[in-house]
Amino acid sequence: MKTAILKFEKLLSENVDLFSKINSDVFTAKVSDKWSKKEILGHLTDSAIHNLVRFTEINYVEKPYHHRPYNQIDLVNLNQYQEMDIGELIQLWFVINKQIVRVMKSVDEKALDYKIILSDQSEIDLRFLMTDYVEHLEHHINQIKS
């Protein structure tokens, strides 16, 4: 878990300032019907919100924990990230993720083994979910930077 946390912290520290230096036209440009870089950052914000809830809830709700999916496209549209001030969006994304880092650093070693039931009834554990979150974050950050 320490490796994932270090990677996570590095992704945040290296990119929070970089994002604010991306030209506004580049950030908001849509490639065909795909998300803009700004909307990708909005998606990462939605992901952070949902995963912060998951990472904390699993500690006090009935086990096994049942993972609740969300509609990524609808959330990006409903939250109107394309129209949002980019500075506010970057700040929102960053602050929520800093809280996730705090939660990940404080999670009990035993809690990392808590079982999570996905919507297809397959099972993962909290360790996998947290590590996968960092990989997901890195994937989309690379899309924003490209």
Side-chain angles (χ1 to χ4, degrees), residues 19-66:
F19 289 167
S20 62
K21 293 175 183 161
I22 296 175
N23 178 289
S24 175
D25 292 337
V26 171
F27 228 116
T28 58
K30 287 195 178 227
V31 181
S32 68
D33 62 344
K34 304 274 184 196
W35 283 337
S36 67
K37 294 176 186 297
K38 196 174 185 183
E39 289 171 316
I40 293 170
L41 187 59
H43 163 66
L44 287 175
T45 302
D46 290 334
S47 177
I49 291 166
H50 281 83
N51 280 291
L52 178 58
V53 169
R54 292 170 180 151
F55 297 165
T56 54
E57 257 186 357
I58 194 169
N59 290 286
Y60 62 83
V61 297
E62 184 179 332
K63 310 296 183 289
Y65 183 79
H66 289 268

Side-chain angles (χ1 to χ4, degrees), residues 5-143:
I5 293 169
L6 289 172
K7 182 178 188 176
F8 191 4
E9 289 178 315
K10 184 176 180 189
L11 285 167
L12 292 178
S13 67
E14 287 179 351
N15 292 290
V16 66
D17 292 329
L18 177 74
F19 289 167
S20 62
K21 293 175 183 161
I22 296 175
N23 178 289
S24 175
D25 292 337
V26 171
F27 228 116
T28 58
K30 287 195 178 227
V31 181
S32 68
D33 62 344
K34 304 274 184 196
W35 283 337
S36 67
K37 294 176 186 297
K38 196 174 185 183
E39 289 171 316
I40 293 170
L41 187 59
H43 163 66
L44 287 175
T45 302
D46 290 334
S47 177
I49 291 166
H50 281 83
N51 280 291
L52 178 58
V53 169
R54 292 170 180 151
F55 297 165
T56 54
E57 257 186 357
I58 194 169
N59 290 286
Y60 62 83
V61 297
E62 184 179 332
K63 310 296 183 289
Y65 183 79
H66 289 268
H67 180 277
R68 293 180 313 274
Y70 60 96
N71 188 313
Q72 301 171 12
I73 295 168
D74 284 348
L75 279 179
V76 166
N77 293 332
L78 287 166
N79 282 303
Q80 302 177 26
Y81 292 121
Q82 186 72 354
E83 290 77 33
M84 190 173 182
D85 175 82
I86 190 57
E88 289 179 8
L89 179 56
I90 292 168
Q91 186 177 18
L92 179 62
W93 168 79
F94 182 71
V95 170
I96 295 168
N97 277 290
K98 289 293 285 185
Q99 181 61 23
I100 292 174
V101 168
R102 280 189 278 283
V103 169
M104 287 175 72
K105 283 181 172 180
S106 68
V107 72
D108 184 286
E109 195 64 32
K110 185 176 121 184
L112 292 172
D113 295 324
Y114 287 160
K115 295 296 172 217
I116 300 168
I117 309 294
L118 302 178
S119 57
D120 67 1
Q121 300 307 306
S122 60
E123 284 188 20
I124 58 173
D125 58 23
L126 182 58
R127 178 181 287 103
F128 176 85
L129 189 62
M130 287 181 163
T131 304
D132 187 62
Y133 176 75
V134 176
E135 297 301 318
H136 173 258
L137 182 70
E138 181 179 40
H139 166 74
H140 286 303
I141 284 175
N142 287 336
Q143 288 179 319

